[in-house]
Amino acid sequence: IYSLTPIIISMVRWRHLSNIPSSKCQAWPGLSTRGGGGPTRVVGVLMRTFHMGEGEMTSVFLSQFREVIQNSKEVLNLLQEKNPTFQPVLVIIQTGDDNLMQEVNQNLAEEAGLNISHICLPPDSSEDEIIDEILKINEDNRVHGLALQISEDLFSNKILNALKPEKDVDGVTDINLGKLVRGDAHECFVSPVARAVIELLGKSGMILDGKKVLVIGAHGSLEAALQCLFQRKGSMTMISQWKTPQLQSKLQEADIVVLGSPKPEEIPLSWIQPGTTVLNCFHDFLSGKLRCSSTEVHVNGLIAEDDVGLLAAALRIQNMVSSGRRWLREQQHRRWRLHCLKLQPLSPVPSDIEISRGQTPKAVDVLAKEIGLLADEIEIYGKSKAKVRLSLLERLRDQADGKYVLVAGITPTPLGEGKSTVTIGLVQALTAHLHVNSFACLRQPSQGPTFGVKGGAAGGGYAQVIPMEEFNLHLTGDIHAITAANNLLAAAIDTRILHENTQTDKALYNRLVPSVNGVREFSEIQLARLKKLGINKTDPGTLTEEEVSKFARLNIDPSTITWQRVLDTNDRFLRKITIGQASTEKGYSRQAQFDIAVASEIMAVLALTDSLKDMKERLGRMVVASDKNGQPVTADDLGVTGALTVLMKDAIKPNLMQTLEGTPVFVHAGPFANIAHGNSSVLADKIALKLVGEEGFVVTEAGFGADIGMEKFFNIKCRASGLVPNVVVLVATVRALKMHGGGPNVTAGVPLKKEYTEENIQLVADGCCNLQKQIQIAQLFGVPVVVALNVFKTDTRAEIDLVCELAKRAGAFDAVPCYHWSVGGKGSVDLARAVREAANKGSHFQFLYDVQLPIVQKIRTIAQAVYGAKDIELSPEAQSKIDRYTQQGFGNLPICMAKTHLSLSHQPEKKGVPRDFILPISDVRASIGAGFIYPLVGTMSTMPGLPTRPCFYDIDLDTETEQVKGLF
């Protein structure tokens, strides 16, 4: 039957394959799972199984059999020395009960060191049921080989080609057969039966060149493989069926006869000439019997009855080891075989959305495969987005990380200076033009700015993430999940206060720990609270009155609540609200506020976590208020941690997208940099660093200027991740430098003044003080700086040259003009080369401060060393909060300054490099789950407002085509 090995290879249930129920397989009675004895023991089993004596087993077969098994064992041992956890697994799908040779093959596999699992389907299984099982095994990356053992009438091209070619160890798929015919046998799996025929003949000393070979009764892949292999040896091969006319004359001409199916009784053995070598490749899978009369034919002293099948079993084991070796090789770092998309830049450059819509992205599953992701490591959202599962980190844990590059910027204008655009241009240059593996890691944009002033954040021009409308609107719903989780916690706080104010201890306790069907028990999170309180009891009925009160009442002080509701919309009228005004809230009301969703601590937790377990712990640690004794009240205390984790379980997976040139991008997490820490997720960076390999690059972006986003990246994100950056790319524009040099105000939605559109060398020179200061800030951390001058069409050569010269004088490793906006990655090739050089130089990374310092001293260090302040000034409220957080044990956390991004100081109108100013700290808050203290500088708002003319005026939907218009 085709090229299937004519015996069963089976094993006592392999219990590690959790998706194969143990009821599907039955253990073969009396099998031992203990190894030992080597090939000699296996040969002994063969003799017992077939009632053979030593003399009946040909010396050719024995030597070849031993050689194959020993070779497989040695190769696998070498692989496992380098990869101790590697264990190749073969799965066999069988219909019906066929137990022949179970013990033999168990010992074969055991001797070689393989695991084998046997899936037994009913004999009447349909084609679709068999294919369903095949598809499940195809996608299980723990399985390295898959073989079929089904009756002949169930075989079809549809079933055979459902197997993944890389797992098809019997060589039955069209792809493996095609490679064999083409001459690429080293790249494919060859039928073990066909190989066994050729190798037995070769080892017997028979010269095949010029021999006439007749293959009778073979079908499909076995017939094709035999014909191909014999022809390669110079044999003249004839293919025939038992009912073929003139069969007798063909048999009499043949030097070698290969039987692919049982001989009909009406065909007499006398048709086969004495001295003809006859090999049997047939096995009746349903009866479990070998049927052939070749024992009556003397073949030059060789009787070849069972040898083919048994050697084929050993060769299948060899194919399995080869499959495992190929799989391991695929896991190792390699240059991606990435199909990059071609750009055809137009002049003048069209709108961002027109450019985005003019490029057809690759299917995201194709992109995932190109960069080394397995099929079960992605969850596809539509055609162009996918989430990547965290299991990838475990698979690639031994893979060396690539180079880590941070893109920051000078103090920007309200229009932004193109850090996202530079980030995308750089990876397009690295991968599409220099053929270096690279990944961009970006934040997900908030819909507040998208519909407010700034617009989207997908990059711009010919350096974008596509499709840009999907990038900017909803994506995969992560921000919505954060909003839901945040507001569930907010609701839990006020509801708990209400219920504690309106119930006795006993009533409150009975509702918190109700009796269900006569059984009363604590939930898991309630048991954790009891432990925290020092109450070592698990039976709800045994608590004393004092313990009941202690457990049931959180006694939240409403004046200390720091947890706010959030919304992903700029809405200034939610900055201060009164809640609880309905009569149903029984007079409990208080002043509260809404923050923008991306300012939620849950967003910061998402961005800084490194696993699902860590995220759950961080969510539980989040402090929402203090009780009336001054002790912190957490999400764990409110019993909501598990629910928050459930809401966030999908959001923790990074989102895979692509650039205009088809290079990969992770979009994950989106904390603002002025009111939060302003960096994409640690998880996205870690996964990307594994995927690019040791010689690759991961380019991530920090929000706003280097004084804000970069400082937080180093002092907060790098502490959380343990990752060390290799290079900082500092983005500057002539426009922003002119503003810092004394140019007119730049306002969103208002045309630029002529100072910005005409050459003005003096303004540029004066404004480079800000660039020099930001270079110095990066140097505080010991990381080399490459300045990327994002060139606009109004910039002149003299202005560009001046900026690059002054940047180098200020200590930049290099300074490079970039033209990615107008021509794509080709316009940033020089930047890519400079970054690669700087990365090879090496960095001497260090943190700015020791987290064990007092909170005030850490704030002062940032203010003076980074912003250039003379000193800080704490409001009474800020000082009170610092005292409280220190007393509660949170004084050793890093600092996340909430400050305007439009100036190095707290005053947005102060451009350039302000000096001798006092930095006012109006308030201090704590994000304990995220792991930082954040002081508010001046009158910093955590809910932006809409301008007079928001972006939404230009955003529309074509109701005929359903295309979005007006996004930028």
Side-chain angles (χ1 to χ4, degrees):
I1 294 180
Y2 300 87
S3 67
L4 299 178
T5 304
I7 52 176
I8 303 171
I9 297 182
S10 185
M11 179 182 177
V12 179
R13 293 185 295 270
W14 183 50
R15 300 187 185 277
H16 297 295
L17 276 179
S18 58
N19 62 334
I20 301 176
S22 59
S23 60
K24 283 196 172 184
C25 306
Q26 292 187 353
W28 184 249
L31 282 190
S32 169
T33 59
R34 293 184 297 275
T40 301
R41 181 174 67 101
V42 176
V43 170
V45 176
L46 298 181
M47 291 191 291
R48 292 196 302 275
T49 304
F50 289 97
H51 310 290
M52 298 176 185
E54 184 72 45
E56 295 179 85
M57 299 197 73
T58 68
S59 60
V60 171
F61 166 70
L62 284 173
S63 65
Q64 182 68 356
F65 179 82
R66 287 186 175 119
E67 184 181 328
V68 171
I69 292 296
Q70 188 61 30
N71 175 267
S72 298
K73 183 175 182 179
E74 289 173 0
V75 171
L76 184 56
N77 286 340
L78 286 172
L79 293 174
Q80 290 175 328
E81 280 179 18
K82 296 180 180 178
N83 307 274
T85 61
F86 172 62
Q87 184 64 56
V89 178
L90 171 65
V91 170
I92 296 179
I93 298 175
Q94 175 191 335
T95 56
D97 297 320
D98 184 352
N99 296 320
L100 176 68
M101 295 287 287
Q102 291 249 8
E103 184 178 0
V104 172
N105 292 286
Q106 162 65 24
N107 282 289
L108 278 175
E110 188 179 312
E111 180 59 33
L114 299 177
N115 279 339
I116 300 183
S117 183
H118 201 204
I119 299 179
C120 310
L121 300 179
D124 58 352
S125 296
S126 68
E127 182 181 77
D128 288 340
E129 288 171 331
I130 295 170
I131 289 174
D132 282 345
E133 290 294 337
I134 291 172
L135 295 179
K136 289 176 191 173
I137 301 303
N138 279 348
E139 301 310 318
D140 191 334
N141 62 19
R142 298 166 297 176
V143 176
H144 306 93
L146 174 56
L148 302 178
Q149 197 154 305
I150 58 181
S151 59
E152 187 172 1
D153 59 338
L154 283 173
F155 273 100
S156 66
N157 281 332
K158 188 176 178 182
I159 285 180
L160 292 177
N161 288 303
L163 277 74
K164 266 190 173 178
E166 56 265 37
K167 294 188 179 185
D168 169 29
V169 290
D170 281 328
V172 298
T173 58
D174 287 351
I175 289 177
N176 277 320
L177 283 170
K179 288 181 177 179
L180 174 62
V181 171
R182 195 174 63 198
D184 296 330
H186 62 286
E187 293 182 6
C188 67
F189 291 115
V190 180
S191 161
V193 177
R195 279 183 61 201
V197 168
I198 299 298
E199 295 197 17
L200 278 172
L201 290 170
K203 289 290 183 179
S204 69
M206 181 174 289
I207 298 172
L208 297 178
D209 188 18
K211 290 291 191 295
K212 292 181 180 179
V213 179
L214 178 63
V215 179
I216 311 176
H219 301 276
S221 58
L222 177 57
E223 175 189 310
L226 284 168
Q227 185 174 14
C228 185
L229 293 178
F230 273 120
Q231 287 177 347
R232 292 265 160 74
K233 295 292 184 180
S235 304
M236 186 178 73
T237 309
M238 301 176 287
I239 303 296
S240 179
Q241 300 305 318
W242 290 112
K243 295 183 180 180
T244 299
Q246 301 173 334
L247 177 61
Q248 182 177 0
S249 63
K250 291 183 179 181
L251 282 168
Q252 290 174 350
E253 292 176 17
D255 300 308
I256 300 168
V257 175
V258 180
L259 308 180
S261 60
K263 178 187 74 61
E265 292 182 5
E266 62 268 22
I267 305 294
L269 286 172
S270 60
W271 286 9
I272 302 176
Q273 293 294 310
T276 301
T277 300
V278 180
L279 296 103
N280 172 36
C281 298
F282 177 74
H283 169 66
D284 185 336
F285 286 83
L286 296 179
S287 69
K289 297 176 182 176
L290 290 170
R291 303 192 317 192
C292 184
S293 302
S294 62
T295 53
E296 301 176 18
V297 183
H298 292 272
V299 287
N300 298 324
L302 170 67
I303 297 178
E305 180 185 50
D306 307 313
D307 297 2
V308 172
L310 298 173
L311 180 56
L315 289 170
R316 180 196 264 170
I317 296 293
Q318 192 176 71
N319 277 355
M320 265 299 303
V321 174
S322 296
S323 175
R325 181 168 50 191
R326 290 179 191 174
W327 183 85
L328 279 174
R329 193 164 54 238
E330 285 296 308
Q331 308 315 302
Q332 295 169 357
H333 166 65
R334 58 183 172 81
R335 182 173 290 175
W336 296 333
R337 292 186 284 271
L338 198 70
H339 168 64
C340 293
L341 305 177
K342 298 296 183 184
L343 287 181
Q344 294 180 323
L346 300 176
S347 183
V349 177
S351 70
D352 290 350
I353 198 164
E354 287 175 309
I355 294 172
S356 173
R357 199 163 286 151
Q359 184 73 290
T360 302
K362 291 180 286 190
V364 72
D365 59 328
V366 172
L367 173 65
K369 187 174 182 180
E370 288 176 339
I371 62 175
L373 289 165
L374 304 179
D376 66 347
E377 290 173 341
I378 60 169
E379 297 170 2
I380 296 174
Y381 283 65
K383 295 178 180 179
S384 53
K385 305 185 296 293
K387 281 195 165 289
V388 175
R389 294 177 179 164
L390 307 188
S391 58
L392 171 70
L393 284 171
E394 175 61 23
R395 177 170 68 86
L396 298 181
R397 66 185 182 278
D398 297 325
Q399 171 79 286
D401 286 347
K403 305 290 194 302
Y404 197 26
V405 180
L406 174 70
V407 176
I410 65 170
T411 304
T413 69
L415 307 177
E417 308 317 305
K419 289 189 308 300
S420 300
T421 311
V422 170
T423 301
I424 300 303
L426 176 54
V427 294
Q428 288 180 176
L430 283 165
T431 300
H433 299 273
L434 298 183
H435 311 294
V436 175
N437 292 357
S438 73
F439 231 111
C441 292
L442 298 178
R443 290 174 294 162
Q444 179 183 352
S446 164
Q447 289 180 182
T450 299
F451 291 99
V453 176
K454 189 172 178 289
Y462 287 99
Q464 291 188 56
V465 180
I466 57 171
M468 67 96 76
E469 56 265 55
E470 293 184 29
F471 177 95
N472 286 312
L473 302 173
H474 307 297
L475 198 60
T476 56
D478 294 350
I479 292 179
H480 300 315
I482 289 165
T483 302
N486 184 99
N487 293 344
L488 175 63
L489 180 52
I493 296 166
D494 290 302
T495 300
R496 186 60 174 263
I497 293 172
L498 171 69
H499 290 312
E500 288 188 22
N501 285 343
T502 56
Q503 297 180 51
T504 63
D505 289 352
K506 184 178 180 181
L508 189 62
Y509 183 67
N510 288 340
R511 286 183 171 88
L512 287 171
V513 194
S515 176
V516 180
N517 297 325
V519 177
R520 194 177 189 192
E521 58 185 11
F522 294 112
S523 68
E524 186 178 333
I525 200 165
Q526 287 177 327
L527 288 170
R529 173 160 168 77
L530 286 169
K531 185 177 179 181
K532 177 181 175 180
L533 294 171
I535 302 172
N536 298 314
K537 296 179 180 178
T538 57
D539 183 352
T542 61
L543 267 67
T544 66
E545 286 187 8
E546 183 183 353
E547 289 170 339
V548 164
S549 179
K550 193 176 180 182
F551 169 81
R553 294 197 177 275
L554 298 179
N555 288 320
I556 295 170
D557 180 352
S559 68
T560 66
I561 294 173
T562 55
W563 195 265
Q564 310 299 342
R565 289 163 174 82
V566 299
L567 189 69
D568 197 32
T569 301
N570 289 0
D571 191 345
R572 65 177 67 246
F573 288 94
L574 294 177
R575 289 171 177 168
K576 184 174 286 189
I577 59 172
T578 302
I579 61 172
Q581 291 188 330
S583 59
T584 50
E585 274 52 73
K586 303 178 182 179
Y588 168 67
S589 65
R590 67 180 181 89
Q591 276 200 344
Q593 68 184 61
F594 270 78
D595 292 339
I596 189 81
V598 292
S600 169
E601 183 176 352
I602 296 178
M603 174 62 88
V605 166
L606 176 66
L608 292 170
T609 190
D610 63 6
S611 68
L612 194 58
K613 180 176 181 290
D614 178 63
M615 182 176 74
K616 183 177 180 180
E617 291 171 354
R618 286 174 178 269
L619 291 172
R621 291 199 301 266
M622 294 188 304
V623 173
V624 300
S626 296
D627 64 20
K628 292 174 182 175
N629 294 320
Q631 294 305 304
V633 177
T634 66
D636 267 352
D637 293 326
L638 286 157
V640 75
T641 304
L644 300 181
T645 309
V646 168
L647 287 170
M648 294 295 294
K649 72 180 180 66
D650 291 319
I652 195 175
K653 302 165 191 170
N655 304 294
L656 177 65
M657 294 187 76
Q658 63 193 280
T659 69
L660 277 166
E661 297 191 52
T663 67
V665 179
F666 275 141
V667 185
H668 198 217
F672 278 178
N674 53 352
I675 55 179
H677 76 282
N679 289 272
S680 62
S681 76
V682 165
L683 278 169
D685 291 357
K686 284 191 168 185
I687 292 174
L689 285 164
K690 294 296 182 188
L691 287 171
V692 298
E694 192 170 5
E695 300 303 316
F697 286 80
V698 170
V699 185
T700 189
E701 176 212 351
F704 298 127
D707 57 306
I708 298 182
M710 185 189 72
E711 181 270 316
K712 295 172 184 177
F713 172 86
F714 289 141
N715 284 320
I716 297 174
K717 185 175 180 180
C718 289
R719 286 185 204 270
S721 69
L723 299 173
V724 176
N726 298 91
V727 184
V728 168
V729 173
L730 193 64
V731 178
T733 63
V734 169
R735 177 181 67 193
L737 293 172
K738 286 180 176 179
M739 178 190 73
H740 289 297
N745 287 339
V746 176
T747 305
V750 177
L752 290 170
K753 301 287 175 52
K754 65 181 180 61
E755 286 85 349
Y756 296 104
T757 58
E758 297 175 0
E759 184 176 287
N760 193 319
I761 297 295
Q762 190 59 50
L763 278 181
V764 174
D766 292 345
C768 278
C769 60
N770 187 271
L771 173 60
Q772 293 160 349
K773 172 63 176 175
Q774 303 286 11
I775 292 171
Q776 291 166 10
I777 294 170
Q779 290 172 333
L780 291 173
F781 298 92
V783 182
V785 179
V786 174
V787 171
L789 182 62
N790 190 17
V791 177
F792 294 176
K793 62 182 179 181
T794 55
D795 299 346
T796 68
R797 173 50 57 186
E799 291 172 331
I800 292 168
D801 290 345
L802 176 63
V803 174
C804 292
E805 176 61 28
L806 292 178
K808 291 175 189 177
R809 283 190 205 168
F813 177 85
D814 204 350
V816 184
C818 305
Y819 303 90
H820 44 262
W821 182 82
S822 57
V823 295
K826 183 172 69 174
S828 280
V829 168
D830 288 344
L831 174 64
R833 290 194 175 111
V835 167
R836 194 160 58 173
E837 268 190 67
N840 290 333
K841 177 187 175 186
S843 69
H844 305 282
F845 177 68
Q846 61 184 7
F847 295 116
L848 183 65
Y849 53 79
D850 184 342
V851 288
Q852 300 303 324
L853 292 172
I855 292 174
V856 172
Q857 191 170 337
K858 287 181 284 193
I859 296 172
R860 182 175 286 113
T861 298
I862 295 171
Q864 293 177 336
V866 177
Y867 306 150
K870 184 178 180 180
D871 204 352
I872 60 171
E873 182 178 70
L874 299 172
S875 70
E877 184 177 2
Q879 185 63 63
S880 173
K881 294 276 189 72
I882 289 171
D883 293 342
R884 182 196 306 165
Y885 295 142
T886 302
Q887 181 268 324
Q888 291 175 341
F890 304 137
N892 61 346
L893 294 176
I895 303 299
C896 180
M897 302 288 278
K899 182 187 79 74
T900 179
H901 60 288
L902 296 173
S903 172
L904 284 165
S905 74
H906 58 288
Q907 297 171 293
E909 69 277 7
K910 300 290 186 181
K911 306 301 181 184
V913 182
R915 302 183 189 281
D916 297 326
F917 60 93
I918 303 297
L919 192 74
I921 309 299
S922 58
D923 195 5
V924 176
R925 299 177 187 173
S927 292
I928 305 305
F932 53 72
I933 301 292
Y934 67 102
L936 274 65
V937 178
T939 56
M940 195 68 213
S941 173
T942 51
M943 170 56 85
L946 290 171
T948 304
R949 192 187 189 284
C951 297
F952 62 63
Y953 276 93
D954 302 308
I955 297 172
D956 202 355
L957 183 74
D958 186 319
T959 56
E960 295 296 324
T961 64
E962 297 187 11
Q963 288 191 334
V964 177
K965 299 185 292 185
L967 276 179
F968 69 95

